Amino acid sequence: YGKNTIKFLRLHREGKQHFVKEVEVCAHLRLTSPQEYLEGNNSLVIPTDTIKNIVLVLAKKNGIPSLEQFAIDICNHFMTTFCQVAYVKAYVQEVPWQRLHEDGVPHIHSFICVPDGIRFCEAEQCRNGPLIVFAGIKDLKLMKTTQSGFEGFYKNEHTTLPERHDRILCGELFCKWSYGECKDFDFNCIWKKIRECILEAFAGPPDCGEYSPSYQKTVNCIQMLVLSRVPQVQIIEAVLNNTFYNVVDMKNLGLTNDKEVLVPVEAPYGSCACTLGRKKFFEA
Amino acid sequence: YGKNTIKFLRLHREGKQHFVKEVEVCAHLRLTSPQEYLEGNNSLVIPTDTIKNIVLVLAKKNGIPSLEQFAIDICNHFMTTFCQVAYVKAYVQEVPWQRLHEDGVPHIHSFICVPDGIRFCEAEQCRNGPLIVFAGIKDLKLMKTTQSGFEGFYKNEHTTLPERHDRILCGELFCKWSYGECKDFDFNCIWKKIRECILEAFAGPPDCGEYSPSYQKTVNCIQMLVLSRVPQVQIIEAVLNNTFYNVVDMKNLGLTNDKEVLVPVEAPYGSCACTLGRKKFFEA
Amino acid sequence: YGKNTIKFLRLHREGKQHFVKEVEVCAHLRLTSPQEYLEGNNSLVIPTDTIKNIVLVLAKKNGIPSLEQFAIDICNHFMTTFCQVAYVKAYVQEVPWQRLHEDGVPHIHSFICVPDGIRFCEAEQCRNGPLIVFAGIKDLKLMKTTQSGFEGFYKNEHTTLPERHDRILCGELFCKWSYGECKDFDFNCIWKKIRECILEAFAGPPDCGEYSPSYQKTVNCIQMLVLSRVPQVQIIEAVLNNTFYNVVDMKNLGLTNDKEVLVPVEAPYGSCACTLGRKKFFEA
Amino acid sequence: YGKNTIKFLRLHREGKQHFVKEVEVCAHLRLTSPQEYLEGNNSLVIPTDTIKNIVLVLAKKNGIPSLEQFAIDICNHFMTTFCQVAYVKAYVQEVPWQRLHEDGVPHIHSFICVPDGIRFCEAEQCRNGPLIVFAGIKDLKLMKTTQSGFEGFYKNEHTTLPERHDRILCGELFCKWSYGECKDFDFNCIWKKIRECILEAFAGPPDCGEYSPSYQKTVNCIQMLVLSRVPQVQIIEAVLNNTFYNVVDMKNLGLTNDKEVLVPVEAPYGSCACTLGRKKFFEA
């Protein structure tokens, strides 16, 4: 049980300059005894209202140096303070405020919301177990208008899809990775580096791109690049929900449409997911 | 990988009377080899477009006698037809069309959408493994305006919640259960019976209700009643996302508010989840 | 300016039986002088926080005998109390709680949310002008699986739609009507009667239905029936946003699909709107 | 009547470099005769499917040099081609794709979706009337963490809001403006200039900001700056839906919270709207 979408803004001031971190926190607990479920005995139950208070107090006391550090703080607090807690999980998601710029000059206290991929993290711990930290990005929508195809696939009597060597590849990406032992990581810096890896692996070189033979292969390229460039990442999961773009057939309208007008097909949408770790791999 | 939100309507006619079943299907596969991820070799990949075609063909050929039977049909088809499929999962969700009535008379071909709890099911199978069938209800919003409290909970310096013995209990319920060996079950009949159990356990007797000492206990009561009344259910998971209603303090407006005007608090919201099986139990 | 989505629950008790009315209110004002916009002079500005307080106090004092009466109460309060108010509009929308029944027996304090068409109303008044009351229903999703066609329409070189005399008609209906002088109307009773008219005009007789040659004609039938049966309605606006269902072409899958499997096309969707009054009419 | 959410992507290639414009179009017509509503006579009705085809054909033939020019093209086409059309309105909204950059180098065919304010426009025309063009921005979320207050407002017995001279100002902005006679405007350039004006008027100088005494005054400042800097704008409407941030009271948690931890209040939310033209003004 727990409290979801605890939303708050942490404002930090350095002189006249302001820094904001608005987050949404979900904190979930499992207790050592299920007596509240079976007997209606609430004596060990930490109310979700108290959970919310604790999250706010930690934000006040510690600030939010990084989402990951804040999630770790929450786990540590519950494990240290309450012996009836058997398991704790903290999920933290950021509202993507960016500092406003006027003619290139950063504004000291004004911000704009720019949701081009949402940063989140998760920390979880079982009593007597290790603290595990995940981080990720979601709602990242990307498109490449060429250098993508899908050919040589399995065919049978239910196949109506034609082979294509030049199509649009468009999708919403979700990536989540786990860190190993988190000794003094600069979580903010690592996250930015991983985001750059994802974009680079998706798009390829800026002057020519790189051919993608399938959504699956693109997902794998993203994972491989992150694992090769960022040693702190142990396992990376990626899900790509893709939107197909159909070239509109304009023959009966008397026109030739050379992939100039395309219609997005939002439902149904395809999805491919893969989890890749060091040395071993899983696929889901 | 797979195809999500394959939406279609299956229309069945008996003389002048029409029957509709509109569903949303997600079908996911895992192949025996990950070569399409690692090498970009698509030769075993069944395109998600083909997956969609197969789902539509099955609907045409078999109809949808029940969501569960249709999900089973999908699993069977993929396991039987494609030896490269290692795992298949089919999720089916219903659009809640109900037959229109005029003065109590059912209309032969007109329907109204009544989303008071969405029915869904899931079937999954690993090669050489058993076929497992789940069913459930989601987005079921319930409220009781008395016979609910929360007292005797754990308190410390972060506790600000007062004890209450008469509050509003309101939440959105998600229930999902698994069946054992599915031999000739009447899935439609069982689902209706479980829905009735859920409502009865939540509300208590119509003339007096039944006191709920916590969301957790209410979740447990629902599970216990379903397990005791419906022998086909093996394990039942329930999640209750609750909305608190705060009694508006009207003292500084010169009024006494005897729980007559309350304001819903939608974020943050509490959540409690429990999974209960026969003989053993888990809590999450 | 004003306050939107003021959400609250009004609980009314008669002995052990409870009655709930949960609503969402938007209250908007225009002041006689725009000095707060031009000069930043706030001396006449009623804070939106105060607007919210007033709405809650009115709910406490008057209850909500009907949405319309409550909207009228809000308008009256602002016009009577604040001479700087030039115009007031109150919108009230209901959360569709329905009493739970167990084996046909109504429960004294348990409710279920059944969103099969949302009731709303609006009252507005200019200083020295009449109080105008609107009521309506929205998000009402209806479908008929036959007795609908679309033929004889205008054709040119951009026409690709075939004529059809047996298609599915499905849409989401929005209706809003105005009352004349509101003397002692039973708003709850009238609203139920209008809802029945809408369903009857959409569906036709339960044993055979009635042929609809277009969405436009169906919209007109609904309006005509309401105006003929409910004398209190002066003008009625109706908007029907329709979802087309395409019969899946299964020829290249080796099957004949006799309108048994259809796929909804949610975007783009068609829309038709008409406003009809007594003696005169407008079309938009 | 008309067709809504006609979504498509217009791809333009210059050598190896690709340019994308993905839009959502709504096109609505009113015919000279309402015979299809009254008599079910469809002979003059242009099917919404044909409307969709025409929009796609225009995109193929003319491309989308600017949203505004494309909306004008749609109006012109319907007015010129169909004498039964009495009125046409075209709304065009952009999906905010931005070119990807790698280390500052623009990518030739990869894009990322960055929804920090959605551009839209509208063109409408009555037969024998002028063509009117509107443009706008919506879903633009802005925040300033100081230089905002609300004082000196009207008070009575329902007032509980305290005066504040240092609060957070946060809101979602909608702006829509009309152009006069559109002779050879560079709509893309004007739109960018207006967006900059909005941000500048909201935030004030980057090194100190500018004090806002109310949401109303901020709305007015935005309008005044746009009107003074952009002569092509005739009338500008602005709506600011604001989210309040409450400073969490931590006294009973033993802490002093100096506006460091704040909780957003998303419902109810305040809203203020103003329409400002040259020489005359309206307020709504």
Side-chain angles (χ1 to χ4, degrees):
Chain A
Y1 77 99
K3 199 76 162 186
N4 295 307
T5 61
I6 307 172
K7 298 179 185 185
F8 65 90
L9 179 83
R10 181 63 171 86
L11 178 58
H12 172 71
R13 303 177 187 89
E14 292 185 5
K16 283 188 134 191
Q17 195 167 16
H18 286 199
F19 300 84
V20 296
K21 196 70 94 179
E22 184 169 348
V23 294
E24 203 175 299
V25 175
C26 303
H28 286 260
L29 307 176
R30 191 168 58 231
L31 302 184
T32 49
S33 153
Q35 65 192 24
E36 76 277 21
Y37 286 93
L38 301 178
E39 298 154 34
N41 178 339
N42 296 328
S43 64
L44 295 179
V45 177
I46 305 158
T48 62
D49 187 75
T50 303
I51 296 174
K52 182 199 69 180
N53 286 341
I54 289 170
V55 168
L56 296 175
V57 164
L58 289 173
K60 157 73 186 159
K61 284 186 175 168
N62 303 358
I64 307 184
S66 70
L67 302 193
E68 291 82 358
Q69 189 55 53
F70 189 61
I72 292 170
D73 289 355
I74 293 171
C75 286
N76 284 342
H77 181 89
F78 280 99
M79 274 299 160
T80 312
T81 313
F82 302 100
C83 57
Q84 73 266 43
V85 170
Y87 168 80
V88 56
K89 183 168 80 173
Y91 172 88
V92 185
Q93 176 181 312
E94 190 173 7
V95 179
W97 293 112
Q98 286 187 7
R99 191 172 295 281
L100 259 188
H101 286 71
E102 291 181 14
D103 293 325
V105 183
H107 199 286
I108 53 165
H109 62 241
S110 294
F111 304 88
I112 180 169
C113 187
V114 185
D116 58 346
I118 300 294
R119 181 173 169 184
F120 69 90
C121 78
E122 216 171 80
E124 61 176 356
Q125 188 165 22
C126 285
R127 190 157 294 279
N128 303 321
L131 180 73
I132 304 170
V133 179
F134 300 89
I137 186 168
K138 62 174 194 171
D139 301 343
L140 175 62
K141 286 181 199 157
L142 299 170
M143 175 192 281
K144 43 189 272 191
T145 51
T146 186
Q147 288 283 50
S148 163
F150 188 50
E151 299 175 287
F153 47 78
Y154 190 89
K155 293 176 193 68
N156 71 356
E157 77 274 18
H158 293 124
T159 309
T160 54
L161 188 76
E163 305 227 322
R164 273 177 299 177
H165 65 280
D166 186 15
R167 60 170 185 178
I168 285 183
L169 192 161
C170 180
E172 189 174 295
L173 194 67
F174 169 94
C175 281
K176 182 179 168 183
W177 53 88
S178 68
Y179 293 112
E181 292 186 40
C182 307
K183 301 250 163 142
D184 301 322
F185 285 178
D186 183 340
F187 289 112
N188 295 331
C189 175
I190 296 172
W191 191 88
K192 272 177 209 143
K193 194 170 166 192
I194 293 176
R195 187 179 188 275
E196 278 165 27
C197 286
I198 292 170
L199 297 182
E200 183 183 331
F202 177 86
D207 60 336
C208 60
E210 186 171 336
Y211 184 72
S212 160
S214 66
Y215 282 85
Q216 284 88 335
K217 182 68 180 149
T218 291
V219 161
N220 184 256
C221 284
I222 290 170
Q223 294 172 313
M224 293 294 282
L225 193 68
V226 171
L227 285 173
S228 72
R229 292 250 184 94
V230 189
Q232 296 90 342
V233 171
Q234 296 305 304
I235 299 176
I236 178 164
E237 178 194 357
V239 183
L240 184 56
N241 288 327
N242 42 65
T243 300
F244 286 101
Y245 282 79
N246 280 337
V247 179
V248 180
D249 185 349
M250 294 190 156
K251 263 179 224 160
N252 46 11
L253 296 166
L255 292 166
T256 306
N257 180 13
D258 180 23
K259 292 174 209 154
E260 293 161 291
V261 181
L262 303 101
V263 167
V265 181
E266 289 165 342
Y269 65 94
S271 169
C272 74
C274 187
T275 303
L276 198 66
R278 301 199 176 277
K279 292 196 185 139
K280 56 183 188 275
F281 66 82
F282 321 85
E283 178 208 347
Chain B
Y1 78 97
K3 200 77 164 184
N4 295 307
T5 60
I6 307 171
K7 298 179 184 184
F8 65 90
L9 178 83
R10 182 63 170 87
L11 178 58
H12 173 72
R13 303 177 186 89
E14 291 185 7
K16 285 187 133 191
Q17 195 167 17
H18 286 200
F19 301 83
V20 296
K21 196 70 93 177
E22 185 169 349
V23 294
E24 203 175 299
V25 175
C26 303
H28 286 260
L29 307 175
R30 190 167 59 231
L31 302 183
T32 48
S33 154
Q35 64 191 27
E36 74 278 20
Y37 286 93
L38 301 179
E39 300 154 33
N41 178 339
N42 295 329
S43 63
L44 296 180
V45 177
I46 305 158
T48 61
D49 188 76
T50 304
I51 296 173
K52 181 198 71 181
N53 285 341
I54 289 170
V55 168
L56 296 175
V57 164
L58 288 173
K60 157 71 186 162
K61 284 186 174 168
N62 303 358
I64 307 183
S66 69
L67 302 192
E68 291 82 359
Q69 189 55 53
F70 189 61
I72 292 169
D73 289 355
I74 294 171
C75 286
N76 284 341
H77 181 90
F78 280 97
M79 274 298 159
T80 312
T81 313
F82 302 100
C83 57
Q84 72 265 45
V85 170
Y87 168 80
V88 56
K89 182 166 80 173
Y91 172 88
V92 186
Q93 176 182 311
E94 190 173 8
V95 178
W97 293 110
Q98 285 187 8
R99 191 171 294 281
L100 259 188
H101 286 71
E102 292 180 15
D103 294 326
V105 183
H107 199 286
I108 54 167
H109 62 241
S110 293
F111 304 87
I112 180 169
C113 187
V114 185
D116 59 346
I118 300 293
R119 181 173 171 185
F120 68 91
C121 78
E122 216 171 80
E124 61 176 355
Q125 188 165 22
C126 286
R127 189 156 295 279
N128 303 321
L131 179 74
I132 304 170
V133 179
F134 300 89
I137 186 168
K138 62 175 194 172
D139 302 342
L140 176 61
K141 286 181 200 157
L142 300 170
M143 173 192 280
K144 43 189 273 191
T145 51
T146 187
Q147 289 282 50
S148 162
F150 187 49
E151 300 175 287
F153 47 78
Y154 190 87
K155 293 175 194 68
N156 70 357
E157 76 275 18
H158 293 124
T159 309
T160 54
L161 188 76
E163 305 227 321
R164 274 178 298 177
H165 65 278
D166 186 15
R167 61 172 184 176
I168 285 183
L169 193 163
C170 180
E172 190 174 294
L173 194 67
F174 170 95
C175 281
K176 182 178 167 183
W177 53 87
S178 68
Y179 293 112
E181 293 187 38
C182 307
K183 301 252 163 142
D184 300 322
F185 285 178
D186 182 341
F187 290 111
N188 295 330
C189 176
I190 296 172
W191 191 88
K192 272 178 209 143
K193 195 171 165 190
I194 293 176
R195 186 178 188 276
E196 277 165 26
C197 286
I198 291 170
L199 298 181
E200 183 183 330
F202 177 87
D207 59 337
C208 61
E210 186 171 337
Y211 184 72
S212 160
S214 66
Y215 282 85
Q216 283 88 335
K217 183 67 180 151
T218 291
V219 161
N220 185 256
C221 284
I222 290 170
Q223 294 172 313
M224 294 294 281
L225 193 67
V226 171
L227 285 174
S228 73
R229 291 253 185 91
V230 189
Q232 296 92 341
V233 172
Q234 295 304 306
I235 298 176
I236 178 164
E237 178 194 356
V239 182
L240 184 55
N241 289 327
N242 42 65
T243 299
F244 285 101
Y245 282 79
N246 279 338
V247 179
V248 180
D249 186 349
M250 294 190 156
K251 263 180 225 160
N252 47 11
L253 296 166
L255 292 165
T256 305
N257 180 12
D258 180 23
K259 291 173 208 153
E260 292 161 291
V261 180
L262 303 102
V263 167
V265 181
E266 288 166 341
Y269 66 93
S271 170
C272 75
C274 188
T275 303
L276 198 66
R278 302 199 176 278
K279 290 195 188 142
K280 55 183 189 274
F281 66 81
F282 321 86
E283 178 208 348
Chain C
Y1 78 98
K3 200 76 163 185
N4 295 309
T5 61
I6 307 171
K7 298 178 185 186
F8 65 92
L9 179 82
R10 181 64 169 88
L11 179 57
H12 172 72
R13 302 177 187 88
E14 292 185 6
K16 286 188 131 190
Q17 196 169 15
H18 287 200
F19 300 84
V20 296
K21 195 71 92 179
E22 184 170 348
V23 294
E24 204 176 297
V25 175
C26 303
H28 286 261
L29 307 176
R30 190 167 58 230
L31 301 184
T32 48
S33 154
Q35 65 191 25
E36 75 278 21
Y37 286 93
L38 301 178
E39 299 154 33
N41 178 339
N42 296 329
S43 63
L44 296 179
V45 177
I46 305 157
T48 61
D49 188 76
T50 304
I51 296 174
K52 181 199 69 181
N53 285 341
I54 289 170
V55 168
L56 296 175
V57 163
L58 289 174
K60 157 72 186 159
K61 284 186 175 166
N62 303 359
I64 307 184
S66 70
L67 302 192
E68 291 82 359
Q69 188 56 53
F70 189 60
I72 292 169
D73 289 354
I74 293 171
C75 286
N76 284 341
H77 181 90
F78 280 98
M79 275 299 160
T80 312
T81 312
F82 302 100
C83 57
Q84 73 265 46
V85 170
Y87 168 80
V88 56
K89 182 167 80 172
Y91 171 89
V92 185
Q93 175 181 313
E94 190 173 7
V95 179
W97 293 111
Q98 286 187 8
R99 191 172 294 282
L100 259 188
H101 286 71
E102 292 181 13
D103 293 326
V105 183
H107 199 286
I108 53 166
H109 61 240
S110 294
F111 304 87
I112 180 170
C113 187
V114 184
D116 58 345
I118 301 294
R119 181 173 170 183
F120 69 90
C121 79
E122 218 173 79
E124 61 175 356
Q125 188 164 22
C126 286
R127 190 157 293 281
N128 303 322
L131 180 74
I132 304 170
V133 179
F134 299 88
I137 186 169
K138 63 176 192 169
D139 301 343
L140 175 62
K141 286 180 200 157
L142 299 171
M143 174 193 280
K144 44 190 272 192
T145 51
T146 188
Q147 288 283 49
S148 162
F150 187 51
E151 299 176 287
F153 46 79
Y154 190 88
K155 293 176 193 68
N156 70 356
E157 76 274 18
H158 294 125
T159 308
T160 55
L161 188 77
E163 306 227 320
R164 274 179 298 177
H165 66 278
D166 185 16
R167 62 171 185 177
I168 285 182
L169 193 162
C170 180
E172 190 175 294
L173 194 66
F174 170 94
C175 281
K176 182 179 168 183
W177 52 87
S178 69
Y179 293 112
E181 294 186 37
C182 307
K183 302 253 162 140
D184 300 323
F185 285 178
D186 182 340
F187 290 110
N188 295 331
C189 175
I190 296 173
W191 190 87
K192 272 179 209 141
K193 195 172 165 191
I194 293 176
R195 186 178 187 277
E196 277 165 26
C197 286
I198 291 170
L199 298 182
E200 183 183 332
F202 177 87
D207 59 337
C208 61
E210 187 171 337
Y211 185 71
S212 159
S214 67
Y215 282 85
Q216 284 88 336
K217 182 68 180 149
T218 291
V219 161
N220 184 256
C221 285
I222 290 170
Q223 295 173 312
M224 293 294 282
L225 193 67
V226 171
L227 286 173
S228 73
R229 291 253 185 92
V230 189
Q232 296 91 343
V233 172
Q234 296 303 306
I235 299 177
I236 178 165
E237 177 193 357
V239 183
L240 184 55
N241 288 328
N242 42 65
T243 300
F244 285 101
Y245 281 79
N246 279 338
V247 179
V248 180
D249 185 349
M250 295 190 156
K251 264 179 222 159
N252 47 10
L253 296 166
L255 292 166
T256 306
N257 180 13
D258 180 24
K259 292 176 208 152
E260 293 161 290
V261 181
L262 302 101
V263 167
V265 182
E266 288 166 343
Y269 65 93
S271 172
C272 73
C274 188
T275 302
L276 198 66
R278 301 200 176 276
K279 289 197 188 139
K280 56 182 187 275
F281 66 82
F282 321 86
E283 176 207 349
Chain D
Y1 77 97
K3 200 76 162 185
N4 295 309
T5 61
I6 307 172
K7 298 179 185 184
F8 65 91
L9 178 82
R10 181 64 170 87
L11 178 58
H12 172 72
R13 302 177 187 89
E14 292 185 5
K16 283 189 133 189
Q17 196 169 16
H18 286 200
F19 300 83
V20 296
K21 196 70 96 179
E22 184 169 347
V23 294
E24 205 176 297
V25 175
C26 304
H28 286 260
L29 307 175
R30 191 167 58 231
L31 302 183
T32 48
S33 153
Q35 64 191 25
E36 76 277 21
Y37 286 92
L38 302 179
E39 299 155 34
N41 178 340
N42 296 328
S43 63
L44 296 179
V45 177
I46 305 158
T48 62
D49 188 75
T50 303
I51 296 173
K52 182 199 69 180
N53 286 342
I54 289 169
V55 168
L56 296 175
V57 164
L58 289 173
K60 157 71 187 160
K61 285 186 175 167
N62 304 359
I64 308 183
S66 70
L67 302 193
E68 291 83 359
Q69 188 55 53
F70 188 60
I72 292 169
D73 289 355
I74 294 171
C75 287
N76 284 341
H77 182 89
F78 279 98
M79 275 299 161
T80 312
T81 313
F82 302 100
C83 57
Q84 73 265 45
V85 170
Y87 167 80
V88 56
K89 182 167 80 171
Y91 171 88
V92 185
Q93 175 181 313
E94 190 173 8
V95 179
W97 293 111
Q98 287 187 8
R99 192 172 295 280
L100 258 188
H101 286 70
E102 291 182 14
D103 293 326
V105 183
H107 199 286
I108 53 167
H109 61 243
S110 293
F111 304 88
I112 180 170
C113 187
V114 184
D116 58 346
I118 300 295
R119 180 173 171 184
F120 69 90
C121 78
E122 217 172 79
E124 61 175 356
Q125 188 165 22
C126 285
R127 190 157 293 279
N128 303 322
L131 180 74
I132 304 170
V133 179
F134 300 89
I137 186 168
K138 62 176 194 170
D139 301 343
L140 175 61
K141 286 181 199 157
L142 299 171
M143 173 193 281
K144 42 190 272 191
T145 52
T146 187
Q147 288 282 51
S148 163
F150 188 50
E151 299 176 287
F153 47 78
Y154 190 88
K155 294 176 194 67
N156 70 356
E157 76 274 19
H158 293 124
T159 309
T160 54
L161 188 76
E163 305 227 321
R164 273 178 299 177
H165 65 279
D166 186 15
R167 61 171 184 177
I168 286 183
L169 192 161
C170 180
E172 190 175 294
L173 193 66
F174 169 95
C175 281
K176 182 179 167 183
W177 53 88
S178 69
Y179 293 112
E181 292 187 39
C182 307
K183 300 250 163 143
D184 300 322
F185 285 178
D186 182 342
F187 290 112
N188 295 332
C189 175
I190 296 173
W191 190 87
K192 272 179 209 141
K193 195 171 165 191
I194 293 176
R195 187 179 186 276
E196 278 165 26
C197 286
I198 291 170
L199 297 182
E200 184 183 330
F202 177 86
D207 60 336
C208 60
E210 186 172 336
Y211 185 71
S212 160
S214 66
Y215 282 85
Q216 283 88 337
K217 182 68 180 150
T218 291
V219 161
N220 185 256
C221 285
I222 290 170
Q223 295 172 313
M224 294 294 282
L225 194 67
V226 172
L227 286 173
S228 73
R229 292 252 185 94
V230 189
Q232 296 92 341
V233 171
Q234 296 303 305
I235 298 176
I236 178 164
E237 177 192 357
V239 182
L240 184 55
N241 289 328
N242 42 64
T243 300
F244 286 102
Y245 282 79
N246 281 337
V247 179
V248 180
D249 186 348
M250 293 190 158
K251 263 180 227 161
N252 46 10
L253 296 166
L255 291 166
T256 306
N257 180 13
D258 180 23
K259 292 174 208 154
E260 293 162 291
V261 180
L262 303 101
V263 168
V265 181
E266 290 166 341
Y269 65 94
S271 170
C272 74
C274 187
T275 302
L276 197 66
R278 302 198 176 277
K279 292 196 186 142
K280 56 181 187 275
F281 66 82
F282 321 87
E283 179 208 347

